[in-house]
Amino acid sequence: MPHSLSGRAETAMQARVLAELRDHGPLSRTELGERLEVSRTTIGAEVGRLAEIGLAHETGPAVSRGGRRSTMVDLAADIRFVGIAIGATGLVVGVTDGRLAVLATEHVPGDIRRGPDAVLGVALEAVRRLLRDLGVEHPMGVGVGVPGPVDFGRGVPVAPPLMPGWDGYPVRDTLARELGCPAVLDNDVNVMAVGERHAGVARHARDFLFVKIGTGIGCGVVVDGDLYRGVNGCAGDIGHMQVRGDGRRCVCGNLDCLEAYAGGAALAEDATAAALRGRSPVLAEMLAERGHLTAEDIGTAVARGDLEAATLLRESGQRVGQVVAGLVSFFNPGLIVIGGRVSGLGHALLAEIRGTAYQRSLPLATGNLPIVLSELPERGGVIGAARLVSSTVFAAAST
Amino acid sequence: MPHSLSGRAETAMQARVLAELRDHGPLSRTELGERLEVSRTTIGAEVGRLAEIGLAHETGPAVSRGGRRSTMVDLAADIRFVGIAIGATGLVVGVTDGRLAVLATEHVPGDIRRGPDAVLGVALEAVRRLLRDLGVEHPMGVGVGVPGPVDFGRGVPVAPPLMPGWDGYPVRDTLARELGCPAVLDNDVNVMAVGERHAGVARHARDFLFVKIGTGIGCGVVVDGDLYRGVNGCAGDIGHMQVRGDGRRCVCGNLDCLEAYAGGAALAEDATAAALRGRSPVLAEMLAERGHLTAEDIGTAVARGDLEAATLLRESGQRVGQVVAGLVSFFNPGLIVIGGRVSGLGHALLAEIRGTAYQRSLPLATGNLPIVLSELPERGGVIGAARLVSSTVFAAAST
């Protein structure tokens, strides 16, 4: 069936043209041909088909590079994607254009434990509000990240420990039906890693790790520019790797998991214990004032000169560093980005992570390895989610 | 430059045709077209060009599948590759055909510490002997694996700890010049992983890990069917990941590296200490007989009911299992193959590795995860080395 086969190849080429325009902006036909290694004539035909279905169009003559003048091509200006980043304690929704520039976002507080009906209801309200304000009638796709393991193929959470009531819930299909467009579901760490690759410090990295330290700890793995999910979609689950410890029991049942020491929940507990046992006057004062402590309070206490808080921060950073050192040995990445709420503890935490990781890894692997904090605020998840669905939409658009 | 661009695409297609024939044997033009998603006519043209340069040819009509009868295509019967697997204490050389079937091998003992001139000299003698016996005048390429870090792009070892005198030595270019054909240099673990993928238990795995336990410990990482080398080519260096321990100093200078407990050298030292300190009568007897002990002797002692040897084996397996558990969490592979000399300790070691790894990893990642021993004897490295150079040769053949 040579004819249908050639049809499939064309489709792939159209998706690649769209991805180039999404990632690099308007390009001339000549530039597209060079990037995709096909002739200008082929590009012309592909762009013609994309124009028919309203996804891309020619915008006029390109600046001459000598020789015959080429024609500029751009994505359709009215493409809109929706990104939803659901966290444990709140969610961010956003709307982007075809190049994933964020046009508007809204942050909505809300506990994930209220269950999928309530949380997705709130998310959809916010999305519809944004779409109405922006005058968007038909978003082209919606991407969503949730703080737990996901079956990417089926679009459902799988036994997510922090998300009671979400196990097996058809998140992807619910959003697709409600918004009348294709949807993609992934875990929050993967979504953040993809956002970092599109618009953050990892923009030029092909093989990198995004380590998220929030309530839990996870890692997005990017190989040759694409997300690596592993055979069951649970690659990057580093929160339960074993670290040096005193035999602390993790919620997963094992001993000495990283998350049991360095996750946001564990740090908040340690801070509370330090306050209650009289080891930290600053944390005790903050606890008395507010009735509870968070991981971020440790940073405040450190800034106020609290020694016990500094110890907590140091030990946490060293344990993350121990795991990061192992990942450096195994994966030899070109960049490690640290993100998530706890990364708000900032450069003191980063210094400990770096110190341990560099000390424990071989020089060849760490010689040029930057370990840096994410510079994307919370819209990183929105951009990543939008990007994931954009790839699906582009691939499917012309079949 | 549409013309040269289209030329480059054709070249890639020819390399893909050759790789299909190498990996799957003779195929009809129709089958090739389906596998590569191009028309039968395109395949015909590609095969014509490959026939001109003597790499592939049509062998006659295919069995009819209904409709027009297709034509069978095969690699040229006289393609020969050389594979050289250099270990710490000896080397194996082999000659394969185009599909990497091993036609002859030779094992040559020899200490890698004698340096590159001596060791490569011995290797070349053996290669020339095999080629002469087989009547091969012009091998198409030579692949070689060495037990240390390699700069793949430059074809030289980089500060290899077990290989004094080899740092920066032009191994690849020396072999290419001496044998008059393209050469490729990689580390032994990568080469063994590639051999496992081509002809071993990983034949049908796309994402898997090959853990080699020899004098040192390393890991080959295969992502989507291809070797993942990391940004500096040192991915898979798991021998220096940190494990539970009593503060033992590793040769690398750090404390509690996996290799310092579970590598072949460490196990031999532990066995010797057990023999000398009267904790193991069986090992003491073996030491008295032969004057030294190896890691494999522990297996013999276990088989003879020695309790201390059983403890050494168990603790070693548990530490490998601890690291493997971390890799499962991070990489979520579909298969883990355990190979290398120490894997000769067999199923008792494997049971400990499995026990620890399954216990410490999340059910989603281990539900269907086989952890198995390599079934390839020492020719695995030869096949892998030959395969690596075959890809280079195929890619370059028609440029």
Side-chain angles (χ1 to χ4, degrees), chain A residues 251-263:
Chain A
V251 286
C252 77
N254 271 313
L255 297 180
D256 291 333
C257 294
L258 173 62
E259 201 167 292
Y261 294 96

Side-chain angles (χ1 to χ4, degrees), chain A residues 55-149:
Chain A
L55 287 174
H57 59 137
E58 300 189 341
T59 58
V63 174
S64 174
R65 302 196 303 182
R68 190 153 62 97
R69 184 177 285 226
S70 189
T71 306
M72 293 303 290
V73 182
D74 198 0
L75 286 177
D78 60 353
I79 294 177
R80 295 292 178 269
F81 294 112
V82 174
I84 306 178
I86 301 180
T89 57
L91 54 89
V92 186
V93 304
V95 176
T96 77
D97 65 13
R99 294 183 58 197
L100 313 183
V102 176
L103 305 176
T105 60
E106 183 171 334
H107 182 272
V108 189
D111 192 330
I112 189 117
R113 290 172 296 186
R114 291 174 58 211
D117 288 333
V119 173
L120 294 182
V122 167
L124 282 166
E125 269 177 40
V127 168
R128 293 196 172 109
R129 212 156 37 229
L130 289 183
L131 292 175
R132 197 174 49 236
D133 292 352
L134 292 166
V136 179
E137 290 190 8
H138 300 293
M140 291 209 60
V142 51
V144 56
V146 293

Side-chain angles (χ1 to χ4, degrees), chain A residues 8 37 228 231-237 240 242 244 254-255 257 322 329-333 359-360 362 364, chain B residues 8 37 228 230-237 240 242 244 254-255 257 322 329-333 359-360 362 364:
Chain A
R8 226 188 300 162
E37 302 196 352
Y228 172 77
V231 297
N232 304 295
C234 54
D237 186 12
H240 302 279
Q242 193 170 22
R244 271 193 319 277
N254 271 313
L255 297 180
C257 294
Q322 187 194 338
S329 294
F330 173 74
F331 188 69
N332 186 20
Q359 184 209 319
R360 278 222 57 104
L362 296 189
L364 186 58
Chain B
R8 225 188 302 162
E37 302 196 351
Y228 173 79
V231 297
N232 304 294
C234 55
D237 187 12
H240 301 280
Q242 194 171 23
R244 269 193 319 276
N254 271 314
L255 298 180
C257 294
Q322 187 193 338
S329 294
F330 173 73
F331 187 69
N332 186 20
Q359 184 209 320
R360 277 221 57 104
L362 296 189
L364 186 59

